[in-house]
Amino acid sequence: MNRFLIRLNIWLLFGLLVIGVSGCAPSFDRKEMIRDITDGIIVPNHQLFADTADQLQRATAVYVTDPSDAHLQAVQDAWHATNLAWMGCATHRYGPIRESLIINRIDSRPPRVSFIEDRIAADSVIDATFIENIGSSSQGLSAIEYLIFDPLSTADLPHNPRRLAYLDHATVIFAQNAQVLLDQWTADGMNYSQTFIDADLEGGEIQGSMNMLVNQILHDVEDITWDRLGTPLWHPTDGAIDPALLEAPYSQSSLARMEATVQHLHQLYTAGDGVGLDEYLDFLDAEYEGQPLSQVIEAQFVATEEAIQAIDEPLGLAIENDRVPVETLYDELAILITLIKVDMINHLGVTITFNDNDGD
Amino acid sequence: MGIHFYFIMRGFGSKFAWLYVPHVINPLIVLRVAFGLLMAISTIRFMLKGWIREFYVLPRFHFTYLGFGWVRPLPEWGLWLVFGGLLILSLWIMLGFFYRPSMALFFVLFTYIELLDKTYYLNHYYFVSLFSFLLIWLPLNGRFSLDVYWGWAQERHTVPAWMVWLVRVQLGLVYFFAGIAKISGDWLLDAMPLKIWLRARTGTPLIGGLFDFVWVAYVMSWAGMLFDTLVPFGLMWPKTGRWAYGVVVVFHLMTAVLFRIGMFPYVMIACTLVFFDWPWLNLFSQGGRSSHAVIDRRCLRWFCLVFLSVQLVLPMRHHLYGGPVNWTEEGYRFAWRVMLVEKTGSAVFDVYDPQTAIAWRVYPRDYLTMAQEKQMAFQPDMILQFAHYLEGEIGRDVEIRAEVYASLNGRSSRLLLDPEVDLTAVPYDWRPRPWILPLDEVD
């Protein structure tokens, strides 16, 4: 019995020692990093988006009552502001927000122009209920873009009450959806921001917030490179150049959207003034060819932003008139993909997938 | 050579007569119950996670194994039937009901599923296939089974010792080769990939903080290598058996907590129970008989020799290819190379049509699921398979080159394949692949 007690005490002491040493470790507070990114970037971005969507709705209401060119210009300006604000939110489609599909209702591309025109040409009621019940690609940012930027649509707008009604109710529902999305992140609503911060306790797991964040950053870089830029640059089936495949052709804002997305991903990477993934990589002593990996990725973000700024005309025109800077941008983005997908993820021990699976 | 081998075989017969000495059957009975139970749980888990649809129904293309391209997934209802069958068979195996046909059918169905797509290859799936094949030939229903209860099988208290030791040696080989594979610079000198994995697990309650110390990764790397290499001997030696099993349990439970490796730890904890003789089971029934070998001795010698030779050669075959196996993956599968790499990759394919002189780029995510793309992006044989599939999808004679960057255990990303090689002109076979670019500093 005494021997048993002695052994038990030795094991207990060993356990306490392990826990004590564990508490003294030079740890990196990953949860603090996620908090900085969530509270400092994600939530304010959603607030900005809700505000700009509200301004778009107000500008549209003015235009509907007085459809002058000046008021249309105000609507277009408000749309551009909302469009760029949205690029700071579109990345963050996690958990219940992803499942709610509200993001699809906010911005689903390309718009279903034929449906929109058919409804305007028909005689059924166009009101808020109608907009709420139609498909994602017939409402939201892309449908509004078509209505206020397409030359034929803008020519018809001042004279067609049904087109005006479609625009008016589409912006009302759009602003409502922006508010609903904001509420999902804030304490007034679902408070997903706290759930997201707490989820980092399982950092290496599929549902851990760092895993989701890094996967979404990677998804967005691939999306820009392969779809938003690569598709119009190299059509995936026959290699033909097809500017019509641009993501925002009516407003000619494809390049601006890309720039806003890259800037947002860059912001997520550094967490602005907070603790970001770059500092975490430094903590992990991650290197690339003898240099700190964090600095290499930072330099690549800058190089990519400069490549975007070097294109001095709308993307569709640039693809047709001067492909060299566009291809340079593509190459810079491809390097960024490799650095994030291969190097950064290798060092972080993150799993590239949103789906569960075993490994060994 | 032939005469020399003949004398070796005669020597085998005389020196290894102890293999036919009666051995208590209990280890095999415990193994049957544990294996059946684990397989039933594993099958239910697979179905509940929705993996039938995700792994085998949704993908447009499957990465089949060389020589098994003819294995195709059944329609979704058929796959559900297969998994339903696996569940029932697992329970029947556990209960010893209709044992031998149940185990044979289990082996066929389980192996069929595993052959469908190498994306989901796991060492423990291979282990289950191999083990279930082995167990077909052994009378695991000799006690405490419905077969005995209903008189369909003779109750037996003993079996020839080789039956028990064949299973033990097979299990021991899994650990031993897993340990040998860890004797490398990456694992022992750089503590990779544990250094990466542990730092991603610092949120683990109580001990998570430890993983921020680099020395902990070194300690665990060396301990893991020593555990894998030595534990089979510890389990086989009666004086250390219980201690070794305690270490097995602690080790596997720790890996289960720290890493996402599914049922593997539990399968190994359950199957290593076969290293004990369970004498207290003899209290429950008396009588029965000793078993004679189910196949004659000459057949047995050849069966054991061939089976064990294959098991000894397969894990070492990567030496025939040369090059760092963790990078080239030539001879990586079926070799118990467990938890050795943190490897990531990114692959795009450049297609050129010589008829029209048009070139374009193809992104695998347009054809593959995320899991397939992730696995393909760093495995050369899967990249080659995808290139061939892509050529078929395009439907005309094109050239396809792959630009693939990969990173192994924290190294900087680099080209994995020669981007100038037209993969449509490369056959998919067992031969070495000189178009895989070298990774100099890997040993």
Side-chain angles (χ1 to χ4, degrees):
Chain A
M1 189 61 185
N2 282 339
R3 282 182 65 184
F4 172 76
L5 284 176
I6 290 169
R7 282 183 183 174
L8 184 67
N9 281 325
I10 289 172
W11 280 109
L12 281 174
L13 277 172
F14 179 72
L16 286 172
L17 185 67
V18 167
I19 293 168
V21 173
S22 174
C24 299
S27 191
F28 180 91
D29 193 344
R30 207 168 48 214
K31 190 171 179 177
E32 195 58 36
M33 176 182 76
I34 296 296
R35 187 186 301 281
D36 282 353
I37 291 171
T38 307
D39 292 343
I41 300 172
I42 298 175
V43 174
N45 279 8
H46 281 77
Q47 182 65 62
L48 176 66
F49 171 60
D51 292 345
T52 55
D54 188 54
Q55 286 162 16
L56 172 63
Q57 189 266 316
R58 290 170 192 274
T60 304
V62 172
Y63 174 69
V64 168
T65 55
D66 179 8
S68 65
D69 287 350
H71 287 153
L72 177 62
Q73 184 62 50
V75 174
Q76 290 174 339
D77 291 346
W79 184 91
H80 277 300
T82 311
N83 182 39
L84 296 183
W86 171 241
M87 293 296 98
C89 305
T91 304
H92 307 290
R93 42 188 82 196
Y94 315 115
I97 294 172
R98 172 186 287 269
E99 287 160 17
S100 74
L101 301 180
I102 191 160
I103 285 180
N104 294 9
R105 297 175 71 79
I106 287 172
D107 193 17
S108 192
R109 291 177 181 274
R112 280 183 67 198
V113 172
S114 59
F115 176 87
I116 295 168
E117 290 299 334
D118 286 350
R119 294 302 100 192
I120 290 172
D123 55 4
S124 55
V125 175
I126 296 178
D127 57 10
T129 308
F130 163 76
I131 296 292
E132 277 179 329
N133 290 308
I134 58 178
S136 298
S137 53
S138 304
Q139 59 173 299
L141 209 53
S142 68
I144 298 169
E145 179 193 1
Y146 166 72
L147 290 169
I148 63 173
F149 286 103
D150 178 72
L152 293 177
S153 177
T154 50
D156 184 49
L157 255 178
H159 319 293
N160 189 338
R162 290 184 59 81
R163 190 175 295 274
L164 282 173
Y166 200 114
L167 174 65
D168 188 26
H169 293 298
T171 54
V172 169
I173 298 302
F174 176 71
Q176 282 178 11
N177 285 335
Q179 187 61 46
V180 169
L181 182 62
L182 173 64
D183 290 344
Q184 287 185 326
W185 280 96
T186 59
D188 296 338
M190 196 172 69
N191 202 15
Y192 183 71
S193 58
Q194 194 57 50
T195 307
F196 189 67
I197 292 165
D198 292 340
D200 185 59
L201 286 175
E202 296 296 324
E205 296 300 322
I206 296 298
Q207 298 308 323
S209 46
M210 192 181 78
N211 197 83
M212 291 192 287
L213 178 70
V214 172
N215 266 290
Q216 200 59 56
I217 289 174
L218 172 62
H219 173 273
D220 276 17
V221 179
E222 288 185 339
D223 187 49
I224 295 173
T225 316
W226 296 347
D227 290 336
R228 293 161 65 179
L229 181 62
T231 300
L233 194 57
W234 291 294
H235 191 280
T237 54
D238 59 11
I241 301 165
D242 190 355
L245 295 169
L246 294 165
E247 63 166 330
Y250 305 105
S251 60
Q252 297 194 326
S253 65
S254 302
L255 198 62
R257 282 168 65 95
M258 275 182 216
E259 184 174 22
T261 303
V262 171
Q263 285 172 343
H264 176 57
L265 299 179
H266 190 179
Q267 192 187 20
L268 289 173
Y269 174 68
T270 60
D273 297 330
V275 177
L277 288 164
D278 54 344
E279 276 142 311
Y280 188 38
L281 285 172
D282 287 340
F283 174 76
L284 297 175
D285 301 320
E287 288 193 348
Y288 179 87
E289 305 288 358
Q291 298 178 63
L293 177 61
S294 62
Q295 292 179 17
V296 176
I297 294 176
E298 168 67 22
Q300 193 55 39
F301 267 116
V302 172
T304 306
E305 287 161 355
E306 287 174 355
I308 292 174
Q309 286 151 12
I311 300 171
D312 54 7
E313 56 187 333
L315 191 59
L317 292 175
I319 289 175
E320 288 184 327
N321 301 334
D322 185 9
R323 283 174 65 89
V324 174
V326 184
E327 290 181 1
T328 301
L329 170 59
Y330 182 90
D331 292 342
E332 297 294 355
L333 282 164
I335 295 170
L336 191 59
I337 287 179
T338 302
L339 287 171
I340 292 174
K341 188 175 187 177
V342 184
D343 293 281
M344 186 169 93
I345 285 182
N346 195 279
H347 280 282
L348 295 182
V350 162
T351 306
I352 309 177
T353 179
F354 291 104
N355 304 320
D356 198 8
N357 191 9
D358 289 338
D360 71 6
Chain B
M1 181 68 185
I3 293 171
H4 181 65
F5 189 70
Y6 171 77
F7 282 110
I8 287 176
M9 291 304 294
R10 281 179 65 90
F12 179 85
S14 58
K15 289 180 181 173
F16 292 88
W18 63 272
L19 288 172
Y20 302 97
V21 170
H23 190 290
V24 63
I25 196 175
N26 299 348
L28 298 183
I29 304 304
V30 171
L31 176 66
R32 187 198 78 219
V33 175
F35 183 79
L37 180 64
L38 261 292
M39 289 307 102
I41 294 170
S42 188
T43 306
I44 292 170
R45 177 174 175 268
F46 200 99
M47 292 191 287
L48 289 179
K49 280 182 171 284
W51 288 346
I52 294 176
R53 185 173 182 76
E54 191 180 322
F55 291 0
Y56 303 116
V57 179
L58 295 181
R60 296 161 58 181
F61 168 69
H62 290 283
F63 292 93
T64 51
Y65 289 88
L66 188 60
F68 291 93
W70 49 273
V71 180
R72 288 278 178 264
L74 292 166
E76 188 168 5
W77 60 265
L79 288 167
W80 276 96
L81 277 182
V82 170
F83 276 87
L86 282 170
L87 175 58
I88 292 169
L89 291 168
S90 301
L91 295 172
W92 285 4
I93 289 167
M94 187 181 76
L95 297 171
F97 173 68
F98 219 44
Y99 169 73
R100 209 164 285 219
S102 297
M103 187 59 91
L105 193 55
F106 179 90
F107 162 72
V108 170
L109 294 182
F110 191 92
T111 306
Y112 161 71
I113 293 294
E114 296 323 307
L115 287 175
L116 286 175
D117 198 326
K118 67 175 78 161
T119 302
Y120 314 109
Y121 170 83
L122 293 178
N123 282 295
H124 92 262
Y125 290 159
Y126 169 51
F127 172 77
V128 169
S129 273
L130 202 62
F131 221 51
S132 55
F133 171 75
L134 203 57
L135 299 185
I136 295 169
W137 313 103
L138 307 180
L140 268 65
N141 56 345
R143 280 189 85 186
F144 303 112
S145 70
L146 290 177
D147 285 348
V148 168
Y149 182 76
W150 280 321
W152 297 347
Q154 182 89 36
E155 182 172 20
R156 62 188 86 208
H157 276 216
T158 61
V159 286
W162 68 265
M163 291 188 176
V164 176
W165 281 100
L166 185 61
V167 173
R168 289 176 176 174
V169 167
Q170 174 57 65
L171 262 169
L173 286 175
V174 174
Y175 282 108
F176 183 71
F177 279 117
I180 294 295
K182 290 181 175 66
I183 302 176
S184 72
D186 268 18
W187 186 270
L188 297 178
L189 302 182
D190 295 325
M192 283 290 190
L194 277 186
K195 206 188 282 179
I196 292 173
W197 291 343
L198 292 180
R199 284 187 142 187
R201 305 297 190 278
T202 51
T204 307
L206 295 179
I207 58 170
L210 276 179
F211 303 146
D212 274 322
F213 291 111
V214 172
W215 59 263
V216 172
Y218 279 95
V219 167
M220 288 181 68
S221 292
W222 280 84
M225 184 276 291
L226 291 172
F227 166 81
D228 278 340
T229 313
L230 299 178
V231 82
F233 303 105
L235 286 166
M236 287 176 193
W237 193 26
K239 285 187 177 177
T240 53
R242 288 188 179 186
W243 283 100
Y245 187 72
V247 177
V248 165
V249 172
V250 170
F251 175 85
H252 284 304
L253 287 181
M254 198 161 72
T255 59
V257 169
L258 290 178
F259 308 118
R260 225 162 36 84
I261 49 179
M263 296 298 293
F264 180 68
Y266 310 108
V267 169
M268 296 309 280
I269 288 172
C271 288
T272 41
L273 291 171
V274 80
F275 283 93
F276 301 98
D277 285 343
W278 304 97
W280 57 270
L281 283 176
N282 293 333
L283 299 173
F284 289 97
S285 67
Q286 299 294 322
R289 67 182 179 90
S290 296
S291 165
H292 52 275
V294 288
I295 43 181
D296 71 53
R297 291 187 177 195
R298 188 173 297 175
C299 288
L300 167 64
R301 286 175 201 167
W302 282 106
F303 175 76
C304 290
L305 262 179
V306 171
F307 186 85
L308 290 177
S309 298
V310 169
Q311 290 311 305
L312 287 169
V313 169
L314 268 184
M316 308 303 285
R317 73 188 189 284
H318 65 86
H319 291 295
L320 299 173
Y321 287 103
V325 59
N326 291 348
W327 178 250
T328 66
E329 308 234 0
E330 294 176 296
Y332 191 91
R333 297 186 197 95
F334 314 114
W336 314 119
R337 304 188 68 81
V338 184
M339 300 189 74
L340 289 178
V341 294
E342 172 64 27
K343 204 171 176 188
T344 45
S346 177
V348 291
F349 291 80
D350 290 316
V351 183
Y352 175 70
D353 185 343
Q355 300 288 327
T356 60
I358 289 178
W360 69 98
R361 179 157 277 193
V362 170
Y363 308 106
R365 76 170 180 185
D366 294 336
Y367 295 85
L368 304 176
T369 64
M370 202 180 268
Q372 287 179 312
E373 186 196 349
K374 175 192 159 196
Q375 290 296 323
M376 182 212 64
F378 56 79
Q379 300 188 47
D381 63 333
M382 294 175 74
I383 293 167
L384 180 63
Q385 277 181 284
F386 179 73
H388 289 184
Y389 163 73
L390 191 57
E391 185 186 25
E393 285 291 291
I394 292 167
R396 55 185 189 273
D397 195 16
V398 293
E399 297 171 10
I400 299 177
R401 293 171 176 80
E403 185 178 290
V404 184
Y405 284 90
S407 173
L408 171 65
N409 290 342
R411 291 176 179 80
S412 303
S413 56
R414 63 201 66 191
L415 281 170
L416 175 62
L417 313 178
D418 183 346
E420 301 301 321
V421 170
D422 173 15
L423 295 175
T424 63
V426 177
Y428 173 47
D429 57 25
W430 293 110
R431 285 178 292 180
R433 302 184 170 116
W435 39 275
I436 302 173
L437 295 176
L439 182 66
D440 299 324
E441 58 271 60
V442 178
D443 52 356

